[in-house]
Amino acid sequence: MCGIVGYIGHRDAISVLIPALRRLEYRGYDSAGVAIVNGTRLEVWKASGKITQLEEAIATASLAGGIGIAHTRWATHGRPSHANAHPHLDCRSRLAVVHNGIIENYRDLRRALAAAGHRFRSETDTEIVAHLIEDYSTDGLPEAVLRAARDLRGAYAIACLDARMPDTLVGIRCGSPPLVIGVGKGERFLASDIPALLGETRDVVVLEDGELAILTAAGSALRTLDGASVRRASTTIPWDADAGEKAGYPHFMLKEIFEQPEAVRNTLRDRADRHTGEIRIPELGLRDRDLVGLNRLCFVACGTSWHAALVGKYLVETFARLPVEVDVASEFRYRQPVLDGRVLTVPISQSGETADTLAALTLARKHGSRTVAICNVVGSSLAREADGVLYTRAGIEIGVASTKAFTAQLAAVILLALKLGAARGLHSPELIRETVKRLWDVPDLMAGVLERSDEISAIAARFVQSGNFLYLGRGIHYPLALEGALKLKEISYIHAEGYPAGEMKHGPIALIDRHLPVVAIAPEGPTYEKITSNIEEVKARDGIVIAVATEGDDEIRNRADVVLPIPRALVWLQPLLVALPLQLLAYHIGVLRGCDVDQPRNLAKSVTVE
Ligand code: AGP
């Protein structure tokens, strides 16, 4: 998705904007640009490609000026090109606009503006915003933006400036794309999300849907679309400046893979008492009697978060004997789900800004369902709009492929399942206590698995040229098969498919031949015999088997071509361990194939539009 940054203050804006854009690179993009007001002159520089190209373009420019906006574009309307790169200008090149989201009625507006004499330079929906504001600009920039917003339909976050008002920066948010104000000393920032502000400030004010921000070097003011004033205190973000650095790792993704033991510990901390087994999650906003009164739970999510939700189904049904539905948010929001006050809807999202998941939450609340979000970003839209929130504490996740957020989500759904089970009294306190005790052992076990990264890199080298992969899992490991396949395809561009292993005879077995690597998730547990039969079926047809198996399982060693061992653990805790070799296998194959594993092609870190 596109990245927006803005600055107004005592420094040269360019010295703030380019580093801030670099901190947004992880969102994925295809072009970049910057607009600065130098005196009363608007200066604009754009480049197709990476921020490095933009830096080369401005290398000889004297970009002085204490106010500016900048942008990384993830193409929606109009192909990646210099002309379509933001910022976009009005006819007189005095107004500049950057935008994240989609203006749904831009064609009608473009026709009307062109008929009124406006001249367009790009194919984008964004450019019409600059010309619309130009039409209203006699009333000053804030009022012009408010009036333009009343003509726009869609979901968008916009930052804009006017060379005739060099002391004012304006931002507006309508719908899901986020926009935050950074509060500094004698300076203010505007950004699509908090990582862009790391190193500049930790104090932010998050814009709600339908709000306009007016920034000067000395302060900021919020308005609703009908012009009413809004007061909102700033929030201090618990991330430190180097959270957005690689800390010696070659990629953010590898750093985040290795941060998973700590991410899980942090997510469990002060919520699961390893001695008494007590589960305390006050931020759920639900008392035990509310939990007892539930008759169904609905998980909704997208991508990797949906896989965590699928694991959650097994756990909640095991511990709480509560019926669970799991839906991808883009389906949930367009079907007619049967919800009421006895249903708990749990959207899961790392970013808390995924458009489909936000829409699913809105739909659930409209039907009277209680809602608890599982989310990784403090103050994100999802966290603010749900009745309760169970934060994963994975820290900032820069790699587009989600890793530590996923295992932190698994820890969160385990906590939720145990909490529900304890409240509903369907399991002995001893079982809950033993599970919590063993849960606290998992981070150290995870660290042990991560020590095998180099071994997995050597294994990966054997499969770099493979054209397809099949991932198989049963029971609680079926979602892990889906996740392993997603990790591989999104960072190595090799097609991979996750399948419930029991479905092999219903079709996928036709794919088996000596060219097809099959990753079989086969740790000890209730489905072990069945999955080893699947392995036999694959071997009988000359398939290649990579088995994720429990350490010391010699039987698997005699059957599989490759074994990725994990330590012994309770079956419902195994997903936290199984995820690691799958992530490392995908990572190393992606790196060996020369892929940009932190910013895979076509992908964005947070899908803030449909
Ligand atoms: C995960 O590796 C992917 N990048 C993607 O599927 C992601 O999980 C999905 O877009 C959901 O994002 P969210 O958790 O921020 O809502």
Side-chain angles (χ1 to χ4, degrees), residues 195-258:
L197 302 175
L198 282 176
E200 297 294 357
T201 179
R202 289 178 16 182
D203 296 324
V204 300
V205 177
V206 179
L207 269 71
E208 302 270 358
D209 180 4
E211 290 184 344
L212 176 116
I214 304 165
L215 281 69
T216 65
S220 56
L222 289 179
R223 298 271 187 281
T224 60
L225 291 193
D226 55 23
S229 176
V230 175
R231 297 185 63 74
R232 183 165 307 125
S234 65
T235 308
T236 299
I237 298 303
W239 285 334
D240 48 29
D242 66 9
E245 304 306 326
K246 291 180 190 167
Y249 286 91
H251 301 101
F252 282 112
M253 183 176 177
L254 191 61
K255 174 187 172 204
E256 289 153 8
I257 285 173
F258 276 82

Side-chain angles (χ1 to χ4, degrees), residues 16 33 170 185 325 535 571 586:
V16 174
V170 173
K185 289 186 173 47
E325 278 178 45
I535 290 172
V571 63

Side-chain angles (χ1 to χ4, degrees), residues 253 300-307 348-355 357-358 374-377 382 397 399-403 405-406 409 483 486-487 490-491 600 603-607:
M253 183 176 177
V300 285
C302 301
T304 287
S305 300
W306 174 60
H307 299 151
I348 302 180
S349 174
Q350 188 285 130
S351 63
E353 302 298 349
T354 299
T357 309
L358 284 170
I374 293 178
C375 184
N376 194 47
V377 178
L382 198 81
E397 186 175 69
V400 167
S402 188
T403 50
F406 174 62
Q409 287 168 350
E483 174 60 12
L486 176 61
K487 284 282 109 28
E490 67 175 332
I491 63 173
L603 286 181
K605 181 61 182 173
S606 175
V607 182

Side-chain angles (χ1 to χ4, degrees), residues 235-286:
T235 308
T236 299
I237 298 303
W239 285 334
D240 48 29
D242 66 9
E245 304 306 326
K246 291 180 190 167
Y249 286 91
H251 301 101
F252 282 112
M253 183 176 177
L254 191 61
K255 174 187 172 204
E256 289 153 8
I257 285 173
F258 276 82
E259 287 177 338
Q260 292 183 97
E262 195 56 24
V264 169
R265 281 190 199 96
N266 289 337
T267 302
L268 298 179
R269 188 163 290 125
D270 71 35
R271 291 169 169 163
D273 186 315
R274 73 172 74 195
H275 305 297
T276 66
E278 187 191 357
I279 305 292
R280 292 183 298 271
I281 320 175
E283 61 271 34
L284 278 188
L286 290 164

